[in-house]
Amino acid sequence: MVLNKLDIPKSLKESMLYSIEAGGKKLRPILLIASFDAYGKDKQKIVAPAMALEMIHTYSLIHDDLPAMDDDDIRRGKPTNHIVFNEATAILAGDALLTYSFDLLATDPRLTDEQKIFLISELSKASGPKGMVAGQMLDMEAENKKVSLEQLERIHALKTGELIRFAIKSGAYIGNATETQLTHLDEFAYYLGLIFQVQDDILDVTGDQAIIGKPVGSDEDNQKSTYPKLLGYEGAVEQKERYLQLAKKALYNANADSSYLMKLTDYFSARDH
Amino acid sequence: MVLNKLDIPKSLKESMLYSIEAGGKKLRPILLIASFDAYGKDKQKIVAPAMALEMIHTYSLIHDDLPAMDDDDIRRGKPTNHIVFNEATAILAGDALLTYSFDLLATDPRLTDEQKIFLISELSKASGPKGMVAGQMLDMEAENKKVSLEQLERIHALKTGELIRFAIKSGAYIGNATETQLTHLDEFAYYLGLIFQVQDDILDVTGDQAIIGKPVGSDEDNQKSTYPKLLGYEGAVEQKERYLQLAKKALYNANADSSYLMKLTDYFSARDH
């Protein structure tokens, strides 16, 4: 892991590595690689983008778990970063992972200048105030409020969807997909993100804490708007099926060697953690 | 201000703008512009770098002021971000400013691809785990401990010095300074950063709260290592003079049209806030 080699303060490195290595599913890098595989060959080119993406995702989890945010003590079955270290270190580890992801992209010798700028521009948009951070803000503001299905979709499209779109789009871009293919893939990624979130909400109702690695029912405790709350359990499952059909249609239109992406889509829809 | 035009959640934008517009001295962008002026002409090119730099600096202040970090209620004479909004919003506003600064650099049409990558690479290094965040971590760890002058210099070189070096280096780079000039300027910037910090420490002892805009004596309260504590008040003033001579010598060697930079150096050394 590239972070191991950094000459940085020991406690900062330990805190960054703790969350990166906490046994997450690495779904976003896997999606990026799968999307690349559908078009391209030279896998060396996607090492840095996949790592940068996972660092951004991990930073967002560290900050989301802070007492001032979701106040979660457990993540991926382990104590959260601020519990193991302390709040100040967790804030800095998050800031460090976020910032270092752009350093990594800007200096990777396997990427062309044009690719670096595409990736940095897309990743900063997907994760910044127009993307993930906006979703987190809207999600917080929606607590204890009744939101519509449309508002719920918007929150999730920003909070989790934008990084999933980045994964799919940037993998295919580096694999030299055409503009038309990228457009269809982007639609696919949009629905994939929603599938991911519906299933997340469903698992928070029906899941097994030992498998999920975080407490079940925390959405209810936090008065969060969820698909099951809005549509009922059956309604949420039906909604997920609708998204699944739309995702598969868009993937078919993207005209890719997409059997792996198709499998991942089914996995996203049926996952138990 | 470019942030005004962003289509993002209202509360997030208000929180970002509040700290950006809180009446800071804008020293870093001013340094960047002064360094550019010593070599270059087309000022349009430095608009985005100067804004990105100020956003990174502002994000670091917002996060530093959080209760889990320095726990400061007043900054630049006004309530800190988390006091006006709340902790969660302040964390997100900081994350958003940090991330958006890279978006801004990656998409500015006035910069060449090579300049974009130089700026993003240098700014992420200066502000990330090898730079400012490392300095913040070491600074926290040094609280309640006796540190040597060497350790103190290292902390400040990282915590405040790296962004000052970025300002000087990137301004001159975009102004097309030569490699040799950049090397001398980097040495100049190193000492300028230390001058800035010694004066900061001196002001915390002798300054006027109404002028500084934050409480005097907070370093003492936080058990921070400072130059006056390590060298005595007279010793700190002498140390500042030494740095000042070294800075001016390096600036002379950089062979620039540097009268403005020279004035700023004297201002840094003698400033009362």
Side-chain angles (χ1 to χ4, degrees):
Chain A
M1 179 59 182
V2 66
L3 291 178
N4 271 307
K5 291 179 201 144
L6 285 182
D7 179 24
I8 61 174
K10 189 164 164 279
S11 43
L12 183 62
K13 190 194 281 192
E14 282 173 1
S15 175
M16 292 164 78
L17 279 170
Y18 174 78
S19 291
I20 284 281
E21 294 174 344
K25 299 179 287 291
K26 308 277 186 285
L27 285 180
R28 289 156 192 78
I30 288 170
L31 280 177
L32 192 152
I33 295 166
S35 177
F36 173 84
D37 273 350
Y39 300 95
K41 290 265 179 278
D42 176 15
K43 275 215 176 68
Q44 283 304 306
K45 277 192 159 297
I46 47 169
V47 175
M51 285 197 297
L53 175 57
E54 186 65 9
M55 284 179 200
I56 293 269
H57 172 59
T58 303
Y59 119 73
S60 78
L61 299 182
I62 296 175
H63 281 191
D64 280 9
D65 288 337
L66 287 167
M69 307 273 282
D70 289 350
D71 195 15
D72 280 319
D73 294 350
I74 300 284
R75 158 83 63 186
R76 297 168 173 174
K78 292 180 180 161
T80 45
N81 198 294
H82 65 273
I83 297 287
V84 177
F85 301 90
N86 56 50
E87 272 187 65
T89 305
I91 293 168
L92 291 175
D95 292 344
L97 286 167
L98 167 54
T99 313
Y100 186 63
S101 68
F102 294 109
D103 186 353
L104 198 66
L105 290 175
T107 55
D108 191 90
R110 295 162 287 197
L111 299 167
T112 66
D113 282 5
E114 198 184 321
Q115 287 170 335
K116 287 175 184 179
I117 291 166
F118 177 90
L119 291 165
I120 291 165
S121 162
E122 294 288 323
L123 185 57
S124 56
K125 267 185 197 59
S127 61
K130 297 179 237 173
M132 185 178 70
V133 171
Q136 182 65 17
M137 191 78 206
L138 294 175
D139 193 28
M140 270 175 20
E141 292 179 342
E143 279 180 28
N144 306 311
K145 279 183 200 152
K146 196 166 164 46
V147 302
S148 66
L149 181 63
E150 199 188 336
Q151 287 170 308
L152 189 64
E153 276 190 4
R154 178 167 151 71
I155 290 170
H156 292 317
L158 291 166
K159 191 177 167 183
T160 54
E162 285 291 320
L163 278 197
I164 289 172
R165 281 173 72 182
F166 171 81
I168 298 290
K169 195 172 176 181
S170 59
Y173 168 81
I174 297 178
N176 291 317
T178 65
E179 274 297 318
T180 311
Q181 287 170 330
L182 285 175
T183 305
H184 289 299
L185 274 181
D186 197 38
E187 195 188 340
F188 160 70
Y190 176 78
Y191 290 114
L192 186 64
L194 290 174
I195 291 165
F196 182 83
Q197 192 58 49
V198 185
Q199 187 62 8
D200 220 44
D201 287 357
I202 289 174
L203 283 174
D204 195 70
V205 179
T206 66
D208 179 339
Q209 174 167 345
I211 300 175
I212 305 179
K214 64 182 178 183
V216 169
S218 66
D219 290 342
E220 190 65 42
D221 296 348
N222 290 338
Q223 302 278 311
K224 291 226 169 179
S225 295
T226 66
Y227 283 93
K229 212 182 284 177
L230 214 57
L231 307 172
Y233 175 76
E234 292 298 327
V237 172
E238 280 165 28
Q239 188 69 26
K240 189 180 69 175
E241 284 303 318
R242 267 192 292 276
Y243 291 149
L244 196 57
Q245 295 318 312
L246 290 164
K248 289 189 172 180
K249 189 178 160 201
L251 185 56
Y252 177 81
N253 289 335
N255 193 25
D257 175 7
S258 61
S259 57
Y260 188 33
L261 278 176
M262 198 65 90
K263 261 185 216 153
L264 281 170
T265 307
D266 284 325
Y267 167 74
F268 262 45
S269 172
R271 72 200 164 89
D272 62 2
H273 70 291
Chain B
M1 179 60 181
V2 66
L3 292 178
N4 272 306
K5 291 178 202 143
L6 285 183
D7 180 23
I8 61 174
K10 188 164 165 277
S11 43
L12 182 63
K13 190 194 280 191
E14 282 174 1
S15 176
M16 291 165 78
L17 279 170
Y18 174 79
S19 290
I20 284 282
E21 294 174 343
K25 299 179 286 290
K26 308 274 186 286
L27 284 181
R28 289 155 192 79
I30 288 169
L31 280 177
L32 192 153
I33 294 165
S35 177
F36 173 84
D37 273 350
Y39 300 94
K41 290 265 179 278
D42 176 14
K43 275 215 177 68
Q44 283 304 306
K45 277 192 160 295
I46 48 169
V47 174
M51 285 199 296
L53 175 56
E54 186 66 8
M55 284 179 200
I56 293 270
H57 171 59
T58 303
Y59 119 74
S60 78
L61 299 182
I62 296 174
H63 281 191
D64 279 8
D65 287 338
L66 287 167
M69 307 273 282
D70 289 350
D71 195 14
D72 280 319
D73 293 351
I74 300 285
R75 159 81 65 185
R76 298 169 173 174
K78 292 180 181 161
T80 45
N81 198 294
H82 65 273
I83 297 287
V84 177
F85 301 90
N86 56 50
E87 274 186 64
T89 304
I91 293 168
L92 291 175
D95 293 343
L97 286 167
L98 168 54
T99 313
Y100 185 64
S101 69
F102 295 108
D103 186 354
L104 199 65
L105 290 175
T107 55
D108 191 272
R110 296 162 288 199
L111 299 168
T112 66
D113 282 4
E114 198 183 321
Q115 287 170 334
K116 287 175 184 178
I117 291 166
F118 177 90
L119 291 164
I120 291 164
S121 163
E122 294 287 324
L123 185 56
S124 56
K125 267 186 198 58
S127 61
K130 297 179 237 174
M132 186 177 69
V133 171
Q136 182 64 17
M137 190 78 205
L138 294 174
D139 194 28
M140 269 175 20
E141 291 179 343
E143 278 181 27
N144 306 311
K145 278 184 201 151
K146 197 165 163 51
V147 302
S148 66
L149 182 63
E150 200 188 335
Q151 287 170 308
L152 190 64
E153 276 190 2
R154 178 166 151 73
I155 290 170
H156 293 318
L158 292 166
K159 191 178 168 182
T160 55
E162 285 291 320
L163 277 197
I164 289 173
R165 280 174 73 183
F166 171 82
I168 298 289
K169 195 173 177 181
S170 60
Y173 168 82
I174 296 178
N176 291 315
T178 65
E179 274 296 319
T180 311
Q181 288 170 329
L182 285 176
T183 304
H184 290 299
L185 274 182
D186 197 37
E187 194 188 341
F188 160 71
Y190 176 79
Y191 290 115
L192 186 64
L194 290 174
I195 292 165
F196 182 84
Q197 192 59 48
V198 185
Q199 187 62 8
D200 220 44
D201 288 355
I202 290 174
L203 283 174
D204 196 70
V205 178
T206 66
D208 179 339
Q209 175 168 343
I211 299 175
I212 305 178
K214 63 183 177 183
V216 170
S218 65
D219 290 341
E220 190 64 42
D221 296 348
N222 290 338
Q223 302 278 315
K224 292 227 169 180
S225 295
T226 66
Y227 283 92
K229 213 182 283 179
L230 213 58
L231 306 171
Y233 175 76
E234 293 298 327
V237 172
E238 281 165 28
Q239 188 69 26
K240 188 179 70 174
E241 283 303 319
R242 269 193 290 276
Y243 292 149
L244 196 57
Q245 295 318 312
L246 290 164
K248 289 189 172 181
K249 189 178 159 199
L251 185 55
Y252 177 81
N253 289 334
N255 193 25
D257 175 7
S258 60
S259 57
Y260 188 32
L261 278 175
M262 197 65 91
K263 261 185 215 155
L264 281 171
T265 307
D266 285 325
Y267 167 74
F268 262 46
S269 172
R271 71 200 165 89
D272 62 2
H273 70 292

